[in-house]
Amino acid sequence: THQLEIRDLHVSVGDKKILNGVNLIVPKGELHAIMGPNGNGKSTLAKVLIGDPEYTVESGEILLDGENILEMEPDERARKGLFLAFQYPVEIPGVTIANFLRLAMQARKAEGEEVGFMEFYQKLTHALEVLEWPESVVERYLNEGFSGGEKKRNEILQMLMLEPEYIIMDETDSGLDVDALKIVAKGVNSMRGENLGGLIITHYQRLLDYIVPDKVHVIVNGRVVESGGPELAKKLDTEGYDWVKELAGA
Ligand code: ADP
Ligand code: MG
Ligand code: MG
């Protein structure tokens, strides 16, 4: 079974219950959008997927290709092919993009296996071409002095280099102008195919004009209350979230 499956997931932070039984199946090869009003657990889901220790999983399972990943450390999940693009990308002073990419690729290799220079360079050239970025950019320090658009483009660069099997993107569109949004979408779309699955989490429909999802799920009160095709995103865009809140009894 090549899929990301979330089974009856209950999550809390401190005394606060945030996810109340999320069920979701994303077959490899499909990108599903997660939408929903603010403060209803979308980012919490992303953080639990990547293994953020701040969130307590009360019950439920997350199966990656049939394997429960909840007991795995974040780096082990990454080696299994899971990739999270962060809502607020970090700055790492003194590390260039090129160094960071080399280290990140190396971290995914089995012990004793090296990232070859040619492999690295060919992938990098291809990725920079997709992202319409000059080669000199990789000598810049990671995220230092980057605009919002550059940070996002850098996330997609990491994604293209690491070739994950499942991606989790959380609010990748926030604060982006249309040109930056199109570049980000171009990068993601260039990876789409039977070897890529994942979740595109977004409050707004706008990103989904450029990355058309295979399915759309709506989270309210920490549960998936409605699922549908791309037309569901359009409906939420024109009609807002009130009707799904009612469905959820909120
Ligand atoms: P969304 O991404 O849908 O906007 P979040 O998952 O970020 O929602 O948050 C869901 C709820 O959980 C909110 O009420 C938020 O304040 C709360 N929450 C999320 N993370 C934490 C945290 N680390 N500590 C306390 N409360 C949190
Ligand atoms: Mg939020
Ligand atoms: Mg969020």
Side-chain angles (χ1 to χ4, degrees):
T1 45
H2 292 284
Q3 62 186 26
L4 171 64
E5 179 175 8
I6 298 166
R7 279 191 194 157
D8 199 22
L9 188 67
H10 293 255
V11 172
S12 59
V13 177
D15 296 341
K16 191 174 172 172
K17 192 84 188 295
I18 303 177
L19 298 183
N20 299 297
V22 171
N23 287 292
L24 206 58
I25 293 180
V26 184
K28 199 170 185 179
E30 294 186 11
L31 290 181
H32 291 195
I34 302 285
M35 299 185 73
N38 277 324
N40 278 264
K42 302 185 299 298
S43 293
T44 297
L45 179 62
K47 286 172 184 159
V48 170
L49 279 163
I50 211 64
D52 187 327
E54 203 175 348
Y55 296 83
T56 307
V57 175
E58 306 285 355
S59 60
E61 286 181 309
I62 301 178
L63 303 169
L64 196 67
D65 295 342
E67 211 178 345
N68 195 348
I69 62 167
L70 282 175
E71 298 303 315
M72 296 178 191
E73 295 295 323
D75 65 323
E76 200 179 347
R77 300 181 192 201
R79 275 197 301 278
K80 298 279 175 196
L82 193 64
F83 181 97
L84 181 85
F86 291 92
Q87 192 168 354
Y88 302 104
V90 288
E91 282 187 25
I92 305 181
V95 175
T96 64
I97 291 187
N99 284 336
F100 180 80
L101 290 172
R102 273 302 271 273
L103 288 171
M105 282 171 77
Q106 190 61 54
R108 279 200 57 186
K109 294 272 184 186
E111 213 171 317
E113 212 185 320
E114 290 280 314
V115 179
F117 178 75
M118 280 313 286
E119 176 195 352
F120 179 74
Y121 190 74
Q122 281 170 358
K123 269 193 193 170
L124 185 62
T125 312
H126 168 75
L128 290 171
E129 202 178 291
V130 171
L131 296 173
E132 300 170 34
W133 237 3
E135 237 173 82
S136 57
V137 79
V138 301
E139 295 311 322
R140 288 180 64 179
Y141 293 111
L142 192 67
N143 287 332
E144 229 178 79
F146 275 30
S147 70
E150 285 174 327
K151 284 183 182 175
K152 299 296 172 166
R153 206 185 285 209
N154 184 42
E155 283 176 13
I156 308 301
L157 176 61
Q158 289 171 32
M159 205 181 266
L160 288 168
M161 295 297 284
L162 290 173
E163 297 179 319
E165 292 165 63
Y166 296 93
I167 57 174
I168 314 294
M169 302 179 70
D170 188 13
E171 305 283 352
T172 301
D173 48 340
S174 63
L176 292 192
D177 61 32
V178 171
D179 288 338
L181 198 66
K182 281 182 181 165
I183 297 265
V184 163
K186 189 176 165 202
V188 173
N189 287 329
S190 78
M191 293 183 67
R192 285 183 85 162
E194 59 184 19
N195 291 319
L196 185 73
L199 297 175
I200 311 287
I201 299 171
T202 181
H203 179 73
Y204 297 107
Q205 193 255 341
R206 191 175 70 140
L207 179 67
L208 307 179
D209 283 336
Y210 301 100
I211 305 173
V212 179
D214 296 289
K215 288 206 173 110
V216 176
H217 309 280
V218 187
I219 287 190
V220 179
N221 276 346
R223 312 180 55 138
V224 175
V225 297
E226 182 78 337
S227 297
E231 73 286 348
L232 177 55
K234 297 235 188 283
K235 182 173 174 182
L236 290 166
D237 197 43
T238 50
E239 296 182 20
Y241 280 110
D242 285 348
W243 66 277
V244 275
K245 285 184 191 163
E246 268 166 42
L247 277 182

